[in-house]
């Protein structure tokens, strides 16, 4: 009999990834999304509330799920396809948290610290998926593979900044991945009315 030679296994795995990634995105939405649906409204609180614990639990569960997939996929996918697959899933996770924070009508100082710490945990956990050995290496690959990496990092940095820091960061291009209206919205949510705030908002409006 004549053996029919099919494409190599890795090539087949690469081809079927599209559908698998879409299914896993839905899984992440189910694991994380349902737990953080009220997160944005809880950010006005000055102390730890149940929604914050839920947000942390959801992040841990989301990262665990992606890590579990990464262990299976790393061995069967080409480096390029693996990187794109992980980038897609990490972006899905980042998007869920960004969506909540960007839409928060009010963010207390305590909540700012919480968001900053949670976002840092998310980037560190995600970096390990790209390079389990080097955090710096994983961060660099994450920046290349995830469309939302810079945006997520910029919002994380914003949470620890004063108005003067934000002004400086704007000049340095830290917020180039965040739109003017989005940044204005965050400033209004975090900072009380003041002359400094008004000047910064005015500057942002004139840049648009």
């Amino acid at each position: 009999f004549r053996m029919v030679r099919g494409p190599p296994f890795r090539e087949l795995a690469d081809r079927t990834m599209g559908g698998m990634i879409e299914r896993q995105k839905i899984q992440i939405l189910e694991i994380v999304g349902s737990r953080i649906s009220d997160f944005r409204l809880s950010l006005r609180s000055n102390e730890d509330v149940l929604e914050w614990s839920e947000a942390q639990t959801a992040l841990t569960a989301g990262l665990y799920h992606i890590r579990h997939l990464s262990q299976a996929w790393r061995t069967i996918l080409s480096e390029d396809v693996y990187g794109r697959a992980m980038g897609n899933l990490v972006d899905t996770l980042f998007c869920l948290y960004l969506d909540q924070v960007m839409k928060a009508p009010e963010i207390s100082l305590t909540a700012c610290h919480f968001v900053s710490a949670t976002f840092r945990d998310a980037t560190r956990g995600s970096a390990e998926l790209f390079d389990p050995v080097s955090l710096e290496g994983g961060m660099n690959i994450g920046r290349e593979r995830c469309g939302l990496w810079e945006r997520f990092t910029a919002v994380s940095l914003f949470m620890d900044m004063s108005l003067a820091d934000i002004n400086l960061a704007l000049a340095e291009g830290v917020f180039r991945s965040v739109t003017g209206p989005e940044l204005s919205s965050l400033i209004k949510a975090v900072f009380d009315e003041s002359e400094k705030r008004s000047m910064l908002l005015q500057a942002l409006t004139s840049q648009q």
Side-chain angles (χ1 to χ4, degrees):
F1 68 95
R2 192 165 62 87
M3 202 167 112
V4 179
R5 192 164 174 268
F9 177 63
R10 179 164 276 190
E11 196 181 311
L12 274 171
D14 287 0
R15 267 197 251 153
T16 56
M17 276 316 287
M20 282 172 72
I21 289 167
E22 288 310 308
R23 283 196 295 278
Q24 293 308 326
K25 280 183 178 180
I26 293 164
Q27 283 254 275
I28 292 165
L29 282 169
E30 286 169 0
I31 293 165
V32 180
S34 58
R35 282 180 170 147
I36 64 168
S37 56
D38 294 326
F39 184 49
R40 69 185 182 281
L41 298 176
S42 74
L43 293 174
R44 58 163 55 97
S45 175
N46 283 307
E47 56 188 1
D48 282 10
V49 287
L50 177 64
E51 287 86 354
W52 296 9
S53 303
E54 281 288 290
Q56 279 181 316
T57 306
L59 176 63
T60 305
L63 284 172
Y64 177 83
H65 181 76
I66 302 173
R67 198 175 299 120
H68 186 69
L69 291 171
S70 82
Q71 286 162 358
W73 290 356
R74 194 183 282 277
T75 53
I76 59 166
L77 297 175
S78 62
E79 194 179 332
D80 179 56
V81 175
Y82 171 82
R84 277 188 284 130
M86 286 296 110
N88 254 294
L89 299 183
V90 169
D91 271 347
T92 304
L93 184 67
F94 283 2
C95 185
L96 289 168
Y97 282 87
L98 278 170
D99 195 46
Q100 289 291 318
V101 173
M102 294 297 214
K103 288 178 180 171
E106 193 180 333
I107 307 174
S108 72
L109 182 61
T110 314
C112 281
H113 296 322
F114 175 78
V115 170
S116 173
T118 304
F119 277 32
R120 277 199 307 273
D121 288 344
T123 46
R124 279 198 205 103
S126 301
E128 286 171 14
L129 300 165
F130 298 106
D131 189 337
V133 181
S134 161
L135 179 63
E136 191 183 347
M139 292 275 193
N140 289 334
I141 299 168
R143 208 168 280 119
E144 286 171 26
R145 294 298 189 177
C146 302
L148 292 177
W149 193 280
E150 277 196 33
R151 186 173 162 79
F152 196 78
T153 306
V155 174
S156 176
L157 290 169
F158 172 93
M159 292 296 153
D160 286 328
M161 288 183 179
S162 65
L163 286 167
D165 293 332
I166 294 164
N167 226 333
L168 191 63
L170 265 170
E172 291 171 352
V174 172
F175 299 116
R176 61 180 171 267
S177 55
V178 182
T179 68
E182 285 171 336
L183 196 55
S184 294
S185 181
L186 279 174
I187 290 166
K188 286 173 188 171
V190 171
F191 298 97
D192 292 330
E193 270 194 63
S194 69
E195 194 183 340
K196 271 187 181 177
R197 190 185 92 156
S198 298
M199 285 170 70
L200 184 52
L201 290 171
Q202 188 61 50
L204 280 168
T205 307
S206 62
Q207 282 176 21
Q208 287 165 37

